């Protein structure tokens, strides 16, 4: 680890020098590229500097103890310095191990979230609406922008399915843990006997792909149909053919969007969803190729896996992947997700560290 840190420190020093050179400053593309690398390396280089300082203090204390000849007060000071530097070395080394873990290349990307009602009929659709509201409130708390891409609403105000984008720094790094089956246990408003029903909702979080990552040939790979949009009860909400359905012929993937009144905007949104689904398919195929690594990661589990239960009678949320339970259902559904996401991220890091040590 130490030699790797020295290499990073040397590279950080090189970039710092390069960023002061006029020819770099005048080349905006090169300058931006170096600034990104600078930002990535800066916290590691800073933490390595702290480690070297703690190690120097530790060596100094050991030398003083070895030399001897100190009075009682000085001995106590040196002993405290030794203990303090030992603790600092251990703590900083642990932090650096985590900082040096391989980064998910998608972590800084925007995301597309797809929520679908599963088992439970109308109750599942209503809970899909609750989850959509929850993620929107979480996005707002982070200063991220959320925008509906497509939605299939029910008469009671739920969603059979809804897709929306979340734009903001690190959106995928936090929301990636939400993919999977979410189970809700509660008494539906329509239940006259007061019986608790269990319903499920499926959430998929996709890193948003851009044109560079995934080039599509519209003429040969896509079939684009337009039709009239309809609302929750089947009534027409648009008298023109503004809704768009795009079929990706090589894979058979189909995406529809009818949220906007403009055919052009609906096509643009549908293309965003299609690109992200195709990128996700590629990523899942890659993950299967390195299955042992995939199993060690909390955030890349099977989409059909039940990941979390929301129990309304007990105000309980349990994340089954890490056995983590909190009794804060109301605040969680109002967007206070960080306590659970932090626990998932820590478990993810711990699993990767253990996998590295094998």
């Amino acid at each position: 680890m130490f030699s790797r840190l020295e290499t990073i420190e040397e590279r950080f020093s090189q970039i710092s020098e390069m960023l002061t050179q006029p020819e770099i400053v005048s080349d905006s593309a090169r300058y931006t590229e170096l600034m990104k690398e600078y930002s990535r390396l800066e916290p590691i280089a800073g933490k390595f500097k702290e480690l070297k300082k703690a190690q120097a203090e530790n060596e100094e204390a050991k030398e003083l103890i070895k030399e001897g000849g100190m009075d009682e007060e000085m001995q106590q000071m040196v002993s405290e310095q030794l203990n303090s530097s030992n603790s600092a070395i251990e703590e900083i080394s642990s932090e650096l191990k985590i900082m040096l873990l391989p980064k998910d290349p998608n972590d800084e990307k925007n995301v597309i979230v797809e929520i679908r009602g599963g088992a439970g009929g109308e109750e599942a659709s209503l809970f899909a609406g609750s989850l959509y509201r929850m993620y929107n409130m979480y996005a707002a708390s982070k200063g991220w922008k959320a925008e509906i891409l497509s939605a299939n609403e029910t008469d009671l105000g739920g969603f059979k399915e809804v897709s929306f984008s979340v734009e903001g720094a690190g959106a995928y790094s936090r929301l990636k843990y939400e993919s999977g089956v979410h189970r809700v246990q509660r008494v539906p408003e329509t239940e006259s006997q007061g019986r608790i029903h269990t319903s499920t909702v499926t959430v998929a979080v996709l890193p948003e792909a851009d044109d560079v990552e995934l080039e599509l040939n519209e003429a040969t790979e896509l079939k684009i149909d337009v039709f009239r949009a309809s609302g929750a009860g089947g009534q027409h909400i648009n008298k023109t053919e503004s809704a768009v359905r795009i079929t990706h012929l090589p894979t058979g993937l189909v995406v529809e969007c009818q949220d906007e009144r403009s055919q052009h905007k609906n096509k643009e949104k549908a293309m965003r969803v299609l690109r992200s689904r195709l990128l996700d398919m590629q990523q899942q195929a890659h993950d299967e190729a390195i299955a042992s690594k995939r199993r060690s990661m909390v955030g890349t589990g099977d989409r059909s896996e039940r990941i979390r239960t929301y129990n309304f009678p007990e105000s309980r949320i349990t994340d089954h992947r890490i056995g983590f339970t909190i009794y804060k259902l109301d605040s969680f559904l109002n967007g206070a997700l960080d306590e659970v996401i932090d626990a998932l991220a820590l478990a993810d890091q711990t699993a990767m560290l253990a996998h590295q040590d094998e």
Side-chain angles (χ1 to χ4, degrees):
M1 184 177 79
F2 204 85
S3 61
R4 188 177 170 194
L5 287 166
E6 286 181 325
T7 301
I8 289 172
E9 182 182 52
E10 184 180 350
R11 176 59 180 165
F12 179 71
S13 180
Q14 288 175 349
I15 295 172
S16 300
E17 176 63 28
M18 291 167 72
L19 287 171
T20 65
Q21 297 170 3
E23 62 271 23
I24 297 293
V25 175
S26 61
D27 184 344
S28 59
R30 179 67 172 145
Y31 184 80
T32 301
E33 180 187 347
L34 287 171
M35 275 302 298
K36 284 182 180 179
E37 190 176 359
Y38 179 92
S39 298
R40 181 173 59 84
L41 298 180
E42 184 180 26
I44 302 174
K47 191 61 67 174
F48 184 40
K49 188 176 180 179
E50 290 180 31
L51 177 62
K52 290 195 293 184
K53 181 184 176 183
Q55 288 175 329
E57 291 174 353
N58 189 264
E59 288 300 319
E60 181 185 34
K62 286 178 178 177
E63 283 296 322
L64 288 171
I65 291 172
K66 185 178 178 181
E67 290 172 5
M70 296 178 287
D71 59 31
E72 187 176 339
E73 185 179 352
M74 187 63 177
Q75 281 181 342
Q76 185 177 348
M77 287 177 59
V78 172
S79 178
E80 287 175 359
Q81 179 176 321
L82 182 65
N83 292 334
S84 174
S85 58
N86 276 330
S87 298
I89 290 168
E90 185 177 346
E91 183 180 336
I92 295 168
S93 296
S94 297
E95 290 175 4
L96 280 166
K97 280 183 180 179
I98 292 172
M99 293 172 83
L100 290 173
L101 286 173
K103 301 295 182 186
D104 187 330
N106 295 321
D107 272 353
E108 292 306 311
K109 288 186 178 178
N110 300 327
V111 300
I112 288 176
V113 183
E114 298 181 335
I115 303 174
R116 292 182 175 84
E122 186 62 50
E123 173 65 5
S125 296
L126 288 170
F127 192 60
S130 297
L131 290 185
Y132 167 71
R133 175 180 175 273
M134 177 183 80
Y135 292 129
N136 265 265
M137 294 183 77
Y138 181 64
S141 73
K142 296 293 184 185
W144 300 336
K145 177 189 174 185
E147 178 189 17
I148 282 189
L149 299 176
S150 66
N152 186 351
E153 296 183 58
T154 65
D155 291 329
L156 297 182
F159 289 106
K160 290 182 181 177
E161 58 182 79
V162 58
S163 298
F164 59 100
S165 63
V166 179
E167 299 178 9
Y172 185 76
S173 71
R174 303 296 287 173
L175 291 173
K176 66 183 177 183
Y177 301 108
E178 296 303 299
S179 287
V181 177
H182 297 240
R183 181 176 69 170
V184 58
Q185 297 172 325
R186 64 181 177 185
V187 179
E189 292 181 11
T190 54
E191 171 57 57
S192 58
Q193 304 296 319
R195 292 174 298 187
I196 295 174
H197 285 223
T198 298
S199 306
T200 60
V201 171
T202 301
V203 175
V205 179
L206 316 176
E208 187 166 0
D210 56 37
D211 296 352
V212 177
E213 285 179 300
L214 204 64
E215 294 184 12
L216 295 174
N217 188 318
E218 189 169 320
T220 60
E221 295 183 69
L222 305 180
K223 180 175 181 282
I224 301 176
D225 301 303
V226 293
F227 56 98
R228 289 185 180 182
S230 60
Q235 74 274 19
H236 289 302
I237 58 173
N238 199 329
K239 294 183 179 180
T240 61
E241 293 187 334
S242 61
V244 175
R245 180 187 299 112
I246 302 178
T247 304
H248 184 246
L249 298 175
T251 62
L253 271 178
V254 179
V255 176
E256 289 185 5
C257 187
Q258 58 178 1
D259 196 57
E260 300 285 348
R261 291 187 177 274
S262 159
Q263 185 184 119
H264 175 74
K265 288 183 179 178
N266 280 327
K267 180 184 175 183
E268 184 183 324
K269 286 185 173 183
M271 286 294 291
R272 289 174 66 187
V273 175
L274 178 62
R275 287 182 190 280
S276 295
R277 286 189 189 173
L278 288 170
L279 181 67
D280 184 60
M281 286 178 66
Q282 291 180 5
Q283 185 64 50
Q284 288 196 56
H286 175 71
D287 288 342
E288 290 297 340
I290 49 173
S292 62
K293 177 185 176 185
R294 187 169 185 258
R295 280 193 294 270
S296 76
M297 303 279 280
V298 172
T300 52
D302 191 336
R303 291 275 163 75
S304 64
E305 175 190 4
R306 186 192 72 194
I307 64 166
R308 192 176 296 148
T309 294
Y310 304 73
N311 184 291
F312 276 69
E314 299 176 15
S315 189
R316 170 174 56 83
I317 298 158
T318 297
D319 197 288
H320 304 289
R321 293 164 291 182
I322 56 174
F324 186 81
T325 296
I326 58 172
Y327 293 86
K328 301 175 182 177
L329 183 62
D330 288 344
S331 62
F332 194 83
L333 289 175
N334 283 326
L337 276 61
D338 275 334
E339 186 174 354
V340 173
I341 290 177
D342 285 344
L344 287 162
L346 178 61
D348 204 3
Q349 291 169 349
T350 303
M352 282 193 287
L353 284 169
H355 185 73
Q356 273 193 344
D357 293 339
E358 288 175 359

